């Protein structure tokens, strides 16, 4: 009897306390030279929530798209990239001013990495006292880094007034940041700086420009579906129908 009770007690203890902690930094290969990294932050409710970033390995070095949300992972990300690819990070582009995108900009600038945001993002970062980039993108811009070409595209207001997406036309990779919602959620998420009506229009602009993407990377949660753009549009239309005053 005592053995049975001890076994049950041990099982309960293992269930409650024996679960391995989720790693603070997760990296997955998307397709050749493209990698998704995920870190975790507190959205304001005391829990941890995943944030996706991306990096690209080129012949000239590695390009980061957004920075880790978790400040403890700024350096581990650089170290992991160096160990895995034998390349240094040379550039970081943040897709809007929220701290799950910009938190590491100053740290990376101090490391000699070229950091970029749009001029609009920089203005908001300054007002909100968020880390700022060293270089400003004045308009939609095509970057040529090593063997790869990609474009920054501002479709208009959405999740934030300044949100941009990154489009790799040849590879058909669309990195959306928080402008695009994962198919894992049916919520529009943080709307503190959002404009739902404009977001709907902006999604349609991205759909028109970035046609037939093979990969669509949202800012949070699962990124395995190619239908995240359509899903985001459906979420926003439903939200606007149920909350007509929240335009």
């Amino acid at each position: 009897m005592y053995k049975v009770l001890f076994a049950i007690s041990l099982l309960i203890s293992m269930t409650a306390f024996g679960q391995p902690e989720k790693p603070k930094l997760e990296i997955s290969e998307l397709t050749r030279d493209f990698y998704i990294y995920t870190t975790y932050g507190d959205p304001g409710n005391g829990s941890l929530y995943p944030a996706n970033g991306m990096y690209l390995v080129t012949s000239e070095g590695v390009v980061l798209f957004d920075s880790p949300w978790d400040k403890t992972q700024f350096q581990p990300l650089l170290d992991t990239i160096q160990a895995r690819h034998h390349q240094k990070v040379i550039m970081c582009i943040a897709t809007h001013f929220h701290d799950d995108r910009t938190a590491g900009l100053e740290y990376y600038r101090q490391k000699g990495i070229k950091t970029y945001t749009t001029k609009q993002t920089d203005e908001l970062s300054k007002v909100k006292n968020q880390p700022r980039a060293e270089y400003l993108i004045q308009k939609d811009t095509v970057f040529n880094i090593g063997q790869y070409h990609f474009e920054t595209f501002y479709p208009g207001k959405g999740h934030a007034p300044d949100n941009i997406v990154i489009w790799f036309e040849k590879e058909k990779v669309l990195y959306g940041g928080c402008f695009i919602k994962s198919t894992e959620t049916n919520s529009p998420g943080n709307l503190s700086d959002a404009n739902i009506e404009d977001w709907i229009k902006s999604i349609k602009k991205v759909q028109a420009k970035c046609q037939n993407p093979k990969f669509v990377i949202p800012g949070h949660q699962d990124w395995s579906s190619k239908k995240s753009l359509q899903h985001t549009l459906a979420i926003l239309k439903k939200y606007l129908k149920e909350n007509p005053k929240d335009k």
Side-chain angles (χ1 to χ4, degrees):
M1 178 67 177
Y2 290 110
K3 289 183 179 179
V4 172
L5 289 174
F6 176 76
I8 293 172
S9 175
L10 181 62
L11 181 61
I12 292 172
S13 177
M14 289 177 65
T15 302
F17 304 107
Q19 297 296 330
E21 288 187 13
K22 186 176 283 290
K24 292 184 177 181
L25 173 65
E26 299 170 304
I27 297 177
S28 303
E29 183 174 0
L30 180 68
T31 185
R32 182 179 179 180
D33 293 333
F34 290 79
Y35 294 82
I36 305 302
Y37 72 88
T38 302
T39 60
Y40 294 81
D42 181 356
N45 58 9
S47 64
L48 290 179
Y49 194 64
N52 301 321
M54 187 172 78
Y55 70 81
L56 171 69
V57 181
T58 82
S59 58
E60 293 184 5
V62 174
V63 180
L64 285 183
F65 300 96
D66 291 323
S67 80
W69 194 358
D70 181 353
K71 296 179 180 179
T72 70
Q73 297 308 301
F74 295 164
Q75 187 61 44
L77 177 59
L78 299 184
D79 294 341
T80 302
I81 289 172
Q82 178 67 46
R84 185 168 184 169
H85 307 288
H86 309 290
Q87 292 267 32
K88 292 186 178 298
V89 174
I90 60 171
M91 172 190 265
C92 178
I93 301 176
T95 53
H96 70 279
F97 78 95
H98 290 164
D99 64 351
D100 57 343
R101 307 291 129 188
T102 62
L105 288 179
E106 177 59 22
Y107 182 89
Y108 289 143
R109 185 193 67 77
Q110 292 180 8
K111 290 288 182 177
I113 297 168
K114 293 182 177 180
T115 54
Y116 291 81
T117 65
T118 65
K119 183 179 179 182
Q120 189 177 7
T121 294
D122 184 64
E123 290 170 352
L124 288 166
S125 295
K126 184 178 180 180
V127 170
K128 302 291 186 177
N129 199 30
Q130 292 291 108
R132 298 167 66 189
E134 183 177 6
Y135 299 98
L136 300 185
I137 303 168
Q138 301 293 338
K139 59 182 179 180
D140 294 343
T141 302
V142 175
F143 286 84
N144 300 292
I145 312 294
Q147 70 275 42
Y148 288 101
H149 315 280
F150 59 87
E151 182 178 359
T152 63
F153 176 57
Y154 175 65
K157 297 177 181 179
H159 166 76
D162 58 322
N163 45 213
I164 62 171
V165 300
I166 312 291
W167 175 231
F168 292 81
E169 185 171 12
K170 182 179 179 181
E171 293 78 16
K172 298 297 182 183
V173 174
L174 174 60
Y175 178 77
C178 302
F179 177 79
I180 298 177
K181 305 299 296 182
S182 169
T183 55
E184 190 177 348
T185 183
N186 289 310
S187 168
N190 173 19
L191 299 179
S192 59
D193 296 297
N195 184 309
I196 300 295
E197 207 166 44
D198 282 352
W199 197 349
I200 289 172
K201 296 175 184 176
S202 299
I203 285 285
K204 292 177 180 178
K205 290 179 183 178
V206 172
Q207 287 178 316
K209 180 177 180 61
C210 309
Q211 296 186 13
N212 303 313
K214 294 179 180 178
F215 304 96
V216 181
I217 311 304
H220 300 276
Q221 299 179 287
D222 183 69
W223 42 267
S224 61
S225 175
K226 294 191 291 186
K227 297 182 179 180
S228 292
L229 267 175
Q230 300 95 305
H231 183 67
T232 303
L233 190 59
I235 288 174
L236 297 173
K237 287 182 175 179
K238 183 175 184 291
Y239 181 88
L240 194 58
K241 185 177 180 180
E242 295 174 350
N243 303 273
K245 293 182 180 180
D246 295 347
K247 294 185 178 183

